[in-house]
Amino acid sequence: MNTNRLSPTLTTALNEQMTKEAHASQIYLSYAAWADNLGYGGIANFLFRHAQEERNHMMKILEYILKRGAEVKVVAIPAPPANPKNMQNCFEKVFEHEVDNTNAIYKLVKMSFTEEDWATWNFMQWFVKEQTEEETLALSLLDKIKIAGGKNIDSNSLYSLDRDLQITPDDATLAQDVTAENP
Ligand code: FEO
C-alpha cells in the first residue's frame, strides 16, 4: 500500500525549499554577527530573531513532508554571501533575499496547483502570507534608512535605528488588516 501522498516532483521541490529556508537562516545569522561586530546590538538582535524565524520555516516544511508520508533529505546548506557593505546595503540584501524566497514559494504554489495537490497548495498559503509580511517589514526598514540619509546615514540615526530594532515587532501589518480608523 502506498502511503506517500506527495508526488516525486513536489517532494523534490519541497526538500529544496526546506534547504532554502535553512540557507535564509544562515544569511540572517551571518548579517546579525556582522552587525553585532560593528556594535549594533539592537540590529543584531532583530536579525538573530529572524534567523530563528527562518529555521522555523524550515521545520514547518520538514514536518509537512513527513506528515504526507514522503522522504525528507537533509543536505548541505550553501554558505551565506559576503557581508554587507553598510547598513543600507544590509537591508537591501535582506529585501532581495526575501523577494528571491517569495519567488521560490510562488513556484511551489504553482506546482501544487498544476498537480491539483490541494493539501500542498493550502499548506503553501501560509508561506505566501508570511512572505508578504517579511517583504513589507524589509521595505519599511529600507524606508527608515532612506529617510535618515541612505548610505550616508549618520551615527545619531543609526543609534536610533539600533534602539528601535531591538523592540521592533517581528511581524508587519498587512494591507488586509488595515481599517479606515486604524490605517
Ligand atoms: Fe522563510 Fe523569509 O523566508
Side-chain angles (χ1 to χ4, degrees):
M1 183 184 170
N2 181 14
T3 54
N4 183 351
R5 301 286 289 130
L6 279 180
S7 73
T9 318
L10 269 177
T11 303
T12 303
L14 283 164
N15 268 295
E16 284 171 2
Q17 186 61 32
M18 181 186 77
T19 307
K20 197 167 174 65
E21 300 290 347
H23 185 218
S25 178
Q26 296 296 86
I27 293 171
Y28 274 110
L29 205 58
S30 73
Y31 290 1
W34 167 81
D36 202 74
N37 264 329
L38 293 176
Y40 300 112
I43 293 170
N45 184 286
F46 172 84
L47 294 166
F48 278 131
R49 294 196 319 263
H50 275 268
Q52 280 305 90
E53 270 205 27
E54 298 299 350
R55 202 160 163 84
N56 287 339
H57 298 170
M58 177 203 75
M59 279 306 297
K60 282 183 198 301
I61 297 172
L62 182 147
E63 193 64 27
Y64 180 75
I65 298 169
L66 291 176
K67 283 202 188 315
R68 300 302 288 161
E71 195 182 342
V72 164
K73 287 208 172 68
V74 175
V75 299
I77 307 168
N83 283 338
K85 292 195 262 303
N86 51 50
M87 210 47 84
Q88 184 187 31
N89 183 238
C90 174
F91 287 102
E92 280 170 353
K93 283 164 85 102
V94 162
F95 180 69
E96 283 166 9
H97 293 310
E98 290 298 348
V99 170
D100 176 59
N101 203 33
T102 301
N103 291 336
I105 296 289
Y106 287 177
K107 272 191 194 149
L108 270 162
V109 173
K110 195 172 176 183
M111 283 171 80
S112 52
F113 187 92
T114 306
E115 286 194 17
E116 300 186 9
D117 178 342
W118 305 122
T120 303
W121 186 87
N122 183 250
F123 173 69
M124 293 313 299
Q125 297 310 304
W126 185 90
F127 284 87
V128 171
K129 186 169 181 232
E130 181 69 12
Q131 283 309 119
T132 314
E133 279 183 16
E134 297 206 332
E135 284 186 20
T136 305
L137 188 59
L139 258 186
S140 73
L141 293 175
L142 269 178
D143 280 347
K144 277 188 196 195
I145 292 177
K146 194 169 147 197
I147 291 166
K151 65 178 178 340
N152 300 319
I153 185 170
D154 62 31
S155 52
N156 281 342
S157 301
L158 271 174
Y159 176 80
S160 304
L161 183 71
D162 188 56
R163 207 185 37 199
D164 287 356
L165 284 196
Q166 177 85 32
I167 50 164
T168 291
D170 293 329
D171 300 317
T173 304
L174 290 178
Q176 58 263 46
D177 299 322
V178 163
T179 60
E181 292 79 22
N182 206 0

